[in-house]
Amino acid sequence: MPELFTPIGEKVEKAAPAAAGEEEERSVEEIESLCMNCHQNGVTRLFLTMIPYFREVVIMSFNCEHCGFQNNEIQPAGTIQLKGVHYELRLRDMADFGRQVVKSDAATVKFIELDVEVPAGRGQLTNVEGLLRTIVDDLEADQEARKESQPEVYAKIDDIVKKGRAMLAGEAFPFRVSLDDPTGNSFISPDLHDGVGKWSKREYLRTKEQNEALGLVDTVTTDLTEDGDLIPDQVYQFPASCPGCMHPCTTNMKMVDIPHFRQVVLMNTSCDDCGYKSNDVKTGGEIPEKGKKTTIHVKNPVDLARDILKSESCALECPELNLSVNPGTLGGRFTTVEGLLTQVRDDLRNQIFQTDKEGVAGEGGDSLAAGERQRWNEFFANLDSAIKGEREFTIVLMDPLASSYVQSLADDPSQPDDQMTVEEYDRTAEEEEDLGLADMKTEGYADDAAAEAKAEEEKKAL
């Protein structure tokens, strides 16, 4: 059976004129369909392809020759992912406008400094410039009518349009764009040279409201303590759908105690039909006053076997390997140092080179230049060498919630050994904002609520 979803470059090669006597392969499927504007028949074109660094998508284009109506849309070819995803890109130069963006019909886009949000709607395959230009053009379209009927609204929108035009002209760097998709099927492309804080990806569990909006049903577990807490060391199971093959599967959850650390929740999803597996770790407890920076110098195979817990809020760096992992990228992981590096390598290699089911690297898509491919090959060679214990390196864990852990080999396991350093640090204002701590109030809120209730009563009395 031929592969339906292949990179665009391969589609173009196959679309070349066929030799005499050979059947020409069609890359675009055409279907006659009803035009919703004039109710005559138009043509819908379907293009199945694979986006580098992402996954399979279906690009759809409709055109009606009777009334001229046109519509373009993109849909993910897979299913709703187990988790939602949130991307954020900090634009610093004109080249960043060319970053590829896949926006599903459930995703919202926000230009943070512009304070403008595009709600969920039509799916798009575009770039950052296309998103911003569409917003500015749409806002500017009805300005003349607003100037007469709604002068105050006109003035506010005019300020936004001017700021947007300045951004497009490259006069307002840096600024940020975020993409949030509860289905997990949207994407902003990364770049090899992105440093920490420029491009970030964070996966999250959907809320009950988001699951209901997507037509998903929450499962309720009743086997809890009287206070509604999980029972330690008990395995909880609840049904789920495999994101790989859509067949029913099981998610297991268990709360365990890590010695000299704290309680964590381990989650595992596995599918017997296609072999899909997913693991995650969630830490709990109170939020500490300070973050924690843990540095471990890995010198030998014994160090590679150390237990390590990387929480979802933790950033990881290996300066000698030119490796940096932003918070939320890998989710939570409780494994060994070797296992963590192996996970990073496999995930990156799969995204960059589009490995097949046997792990054999492909061509990396048609957008990967030869020079960039060579740099990635050197990067993975250094990473393989570190995993085999053939070179020394350093791991730095920066966790603003102090929820990450590295096993100590000291006589007192609660204290760091000679190859480890553990430091506390004050969280930055940006970290406080990202964690939702900036506006959190933990004292006196009862008095504030009483005062608001009293003010409301006095207002009604008037």
Side-chain angles (χ1 to χ4, degrees):
M1 181 178 177
E3 182 67 35
L4 296 177
F5 296 92
T6 56
I8 294 178
E10 295 183 19
K11 293 277 190 182
V12 173
E13 292 177 1
K14 292 179 181 179
E22 294 184 1
E23 183 178 352
E24 185 175 344
E25 183 173 343
R26 298 180 61 182
S27 298
V28 179
E29 297 293 331
E30 295 187 356
I31 303 173
E32 189 176 28
S33 53
L34 180 68
C35 174
M36 302 306 295
N37 187 48
C38 69
H39 304 291
Q40 298 290 325
N41 283 338
V43 176
T44 296
R45 294 177 174 84
L46 303 177
F47 183 66
L48 284 62
T49 186
M50 177 190 296
I51 295 179
Y53 311 106
F54 188 49
R55 58 173 65 93
E56 297 88 354
V57 297
V58 179
I59 300 175
M60 295 176 285
S61 172
F62 175 81
N63 181 66
C64 178
E65 62 179 9
H66 300 285
C67 67
F69 178 75
Q70 293 182 339
N71 183 41
N72 300 296
E73 193 171 344
I74 183 170
Q75 291 287 343
T79 182
I80 296 174
Q81 306 303 307
L82 285 176
K83 295 181 180 180
V85 66
H86 180 92
Y87 290 93
E88 186 171 307
L89 174 67
R90 186 181 296 271
L91 287 84
R92 295 173 178 163
D93 52 50
M94 296 299 291
D96 291 332
F97 276 119
R99 296 293 184 99
Q100 190 176 57
V101 177
V102 178
K103 176 186 174 297
S104 78
D105 55 5
T108 57
V109 176
K110 183 175 183 179
F111 285 87
I112 298 172
E113 282 73 17
L114 198 59
D115 198 21
V116 171
E117 182 174 301
V118 180
R122 183 171 58 91
Q124 290 178 277
L125 173 59
T126 180
N127 56 24
V128 178
E129 180 183 2
L131 284 175
L132 181 55
R133 194 173 295 279
T134 300
I135 292 173
V136 174
D137 291 345
D138 288 348
L139 288 174
E140 201 173 28
D142 298 324
Q143 277 294 81
E144 290 301 323
R146 293 192 193 100
K147 190 173 183 180
E148 298 296 330
S149 60
Q150 298 173 297
E152 293 182 0
V153 176
Y154 167 82
K156 293 179 180 179
I157 293 181
D158 189 56
D159 288 340
I160 295 175
V161 170
K162 289 178 179 177
K163 291 179 182 177
R165 294 294 183 194
M167 289 178 174
L168 289 169
E171 300 170 358
F173 292 123
F175 60 90
R176 295 166 293 165
V177 58
S178 65
L179 176 64
D180 189 275
D181 186 357
T183 69
N185 286 323
S186 293
F187 174 71
I188 297 179
S189 64
D191 187 85
L192 179 64
H193 304 292
D194 287 342
V196 174
K198 182 176 176 67
W199 177 93
S200 65
K201 172 188 175 184
R202 174 176 59 83
E203 294 182 337
Y204 61 87
L205 295 175
R206 286 184 287 270
T207 64
K208 180 181 178 180
E209 291 75 16
Q210 288 174 326
N211 279 329
E212 290 176 352
L214 295 174
L216 303 176
V217 180
D218 281 334
T219 343
V220 180
T221 304
T222 57
D223 194 9
L224 304 172
T225 65
E226 294 181 356
D227 297 328
D229 298 327
L230 298 178
I231 300 174
D233 296 322
Q234 178 169 326
V235 177
Y236 295 85
Q237 293 186 334
F238 50 92
S241 295
C242 174
C245 67
M246 284 296 293
H247 288 183
C249 63
T250 302
T251 294
N252 301 309
M253 182 171 63
K254 180 180 179 181
M255 185 171 67
V256 299
D257 264 317
I258 297 180
H260 313 291
F261 189 54
R262 64 174 70 173
Q263 286 184 331
V264 299
V265 176
L266 306 180
M267 302 186 71
N268 165 267
T269 300
S270 58
C271 178
D272 295 332
D273 293 306
C274 68
Y276 172 84
K277 290 184 179 181
S278 173
N279 301 286
D280 203 359
V281 180
K282 299 293 183 183
T283 56
E286 64 181 10
I287 297 176
E289 293 184 2
K290 296 185 177 183
K292 182 180 290 185
K293 176 182 178 181
T294 304
T295 305
I296 170 71
H297 300 281
V298 180
K299 297 182 177 180
N300 51 56
V302 175
D303 294 326
L304 289 172
R306 291 179 188 246
D307 289 336
I308 185 170
L309 170 64
K310 178 200 168 295
S311 77
E312 198 169 19
S313 60
C314 179
L316 180 149
E317 288 190 51
C318 295
E320 297 85 352
L321 304 178
N322 293 320
L323 171 66
S324 64
V325 179
N326 289 324
T329 303
L330 287 176
R333 287 288 184 270
F334 181 43
T335 177
T336 62
V337 172
E338 179 184 359
L340 185 62
L341 291 182
T342 301
Q343 180 73 44
V344 173
R345 179 197 63 189
D346 293 346
D347 285 358
L348 275 176
R349 182 171 285 166
N350 181 51
Q351 286 192 2
I352 303 304
F353 293 118
Q354 301 169 1
T355 55
D356 58 21
K357 294 180 180 179
E358 285 73 33
V360 178
E363 294 301 316
D366 57 302
S367 65
L368 198 60
E372 188 176 359
R373 190 193 310 276
Q374 177 61 30
R375 288 192 293 272
W376 279 114
N377 285 330
E378 293 174 358
F379 169 79
F380 286 119
N382 291 332
L383 197 52
D384 288 336
S385 177
I387 292 173
K388 294 175 183 178
E390 298 173 353
R391 61 179 297 171
E392 298 182 5
F393 59 95
T394 305
I395 292 180
V396 181
L397 300 177
M398 292 285 292
D399 194 338
L401 293 181
S403 298
S404 296
Y405 160 84
V406 178
Q407 179 186 7
S408 172
L409 302 181
D411 295 334
D412 181 1
S414 63
Q415 301 297 319
D417 57 42
D418 294 338
Q419 292 172 223
M420 290 176 57
T421 58
V422 180
E423 311 167 54
E424 291 187 338
Y425 69 92
D426 293 325
R427 286 186 287 266
T428 64
E430 186 174 357
E431 287 175 332
E432 294 272 351
E433 183 69 28
D434 291 341
L435 296 171
L437 303 177
D439 300 322
M440 184 179 293
K441 186 171 184 178
T442 58
E443 296 179 357
Y445 48 84
D447 296 336
D448 291 347
E452 289 178 4
K454 184 179 179 181
E456 188 67 24
E457 290 178 359
E458 292 176 351
K459 185 177 179 180
K460 289 180 179 179
L462 296 175

